[in-house]
Amino acid sequence: TPEQLEASILQYAIQGKLVEQRVEEGTAEALYQQIQAEKQKLIKDGKIKKGKPLTDIADDEIPFDIPDSWKWVRLDDVVIKTIKRGKSPKYTEKSNVLVFAQNDTKAGYIDLSLSLCLDETILSKYPVDEFMVDGDIVINFTGNGTLGRVGVYHDYDNPNNCPIVPDSHVTVIRCNRNVSGSFVFYVLKHYQPYMEKLGSGSTNQTELSAGILKTLLFPLPPLEEQKRIVAKIEELLPLCERLK
């Protein structure tokens, strides 16, 4: 089916089978060192907080083989914003600040038309990095049927250019500049069915934990290969839509 074909394309993409590897593009190990250097600089400049060290990746955790030029890392290794749920908001009928909710992430797009307004009397509780920026990846943290749903927020989704913050049912993934945000999005999109199974709680209140998301295994290719993979995915997925 078209859905199975789409899943296969994403599977090939994250296994390094969708495009060829090129020696001149370097290795993910070298890229990983650049990512860590950038992260340390941001910590030193006070722009992000230093997180707890992650456990090493054990051989029995690795779900499939990847090319020799790639590297297994954890999702937390490629972000510059702490992976955590948004704050529980206080709403008001009218304000200049919007609240991004899990229902704003649709299948394939973002819809802010029904977004509620944040009571600006609690704005002081929101540090600067809590406000969403163009290219932020959003993941639903709760819900039955929407748990793990992934979207990408863009400025054009917000034509009135209102400041916007995530609510407590959403987490924001903000990628390091040395990583393709689109590649991260497609990896997480592939993982969505897997993330649904990782939720815990009652049937109607299934939730993901931030700890599970931070330690999620992430197959990291060299940056230029990431870009080529994204280009190939975006060439093929419209064909799946035509088949539907």
Side-chain angles (χ1 to χ4, degrees):
T1 67
E3 291 78 13
Q4 290 171 327
L5 182 57
E6 181 177 314
S8 294
I9 290 168
L10 295 179
Q11 179 71 37
Y12 268 61
I14 70 169
Q15 288 184 336
K17 298 178 179 178
L18 198 60
V19 301
E20 76 281 3
Q21 283 71 55
R22 297 176 180 173
V23 175
E24 65 272 17
E25 292 178 348
T27 66
E29 179 60 44
L31 175 62
Y32 177 75
Q33 297 304 323
Q34 293 175 22
I35 292 169
Q36 295 310 302
E38 174 72 10
K39 208 166 189 177
Q40 291 305 312
K41 183 177 185 301
L42 292 170
I43 292 170
K44 184 178 179 181
D45 293 344
K47 294 181 179 179
I48 64 172
K49 294 181 180 179
K50 185 177 181 179
K52 295 180 180 179
L54 300 174
T55 57
D56 293 336
I57 297 173
D59 290 342
D60 58 2
E61 285 186 85
I62 296 174
F64 49 80
D65 292 332
I66 54 177
D68 292 340
S69 58
W70 290 30
K71 180 180 177 67
W72 280 109
V73 298
R74 298 197 187 276
L75 182 60
D76 199 53
D77 288 322
V78 299
V79 303
I80 56 170
K81 183 182 182 300
T82 303
I83 297 176
K84 61 181 180 180
R85 294 167 65 148
K87 298 180 183 297
S88 294
K90 180 181 179 182
Y91 296 109
T92 187
E93 286 190 12
K94 188 175 182 180
S95 84
N96 293 317
V97 184
L98 297 178
V99 177
F100 191 101
Q102 62 182 22
N103 291 332
D104 295 336
T105 304
K106 309 299 183 184
Y109 65 100
I110 300 294
D111 182 3
L112 301 179
S113 61
L114 299 178
S115 294
L116 300 178
C117 296
L118 182 75
D119 187 332
E120 294 186 41
T121 62
I122 65 167
L123 269 180
S124 60
K125 296 182 179 180
Y126 287 85
V128 173
D129 70 346
E130 284 297 303
F131 290 86
M132 295 173 61
V133 299
D134 188 65
D136 276 350
I137 299 168
V138 286
I139 302 179
N140 289 352
F141 249 37
T142 65
N144 186 17
T146 61
L147 183 71
R149 180 178 288 176
V150 184
V152 182
Y153 168 77
H154 292 290
D155 286 342
Y156 57 69
D157 298 315
N158 186 2
N160 295 324
N161 199 30
C162 297
I164 185 166
V165 294
D167 76 1
S168 58
H169 301 287
V170 174
T171 189
V172 169
I173 305 295
R174 190 168 297 157
C175 301
N176 187 290
R177 66 178 181 177
N178 293 295
V179 179
S180 163
S182 295
F183 179 77
V184 175
F185 165 73
Y186 285 119
V187 173
L188 293 174
K189 187 174 176 65
H190 171 78
Y191 275 153
Q192 183 179 336
Y194 172 67
M195 288 191 284
E196 288 177 359
K197 296 176 183 177
L198 293 177
S200 60
S202 62
T203 303
N204 294 324
Q205 291 297 325
T206 310
E207 298 184 355
L208 269 174
S209 76
I212 286 176
L213 209 53
K214 286 180 181 181
T215 59
L216 192 70
L217 287 181
F218 187 89
L220 181 69
L223 181 56
E224 290 305 313
E225 187 173 346
Q226 292 175 41
K227 295 175 182 178
R228 290 191 292 111
I229 291 171
V230 168
K232 179 58 72 172
I233 290 173
E234 293 179 350
E235 174 189 331
L236 296 174
L237 291 190
L239 302 180
C240 297
E241 291 301 315
R242 286 175 59 189
L243 282 174
K244 291 177 187 178

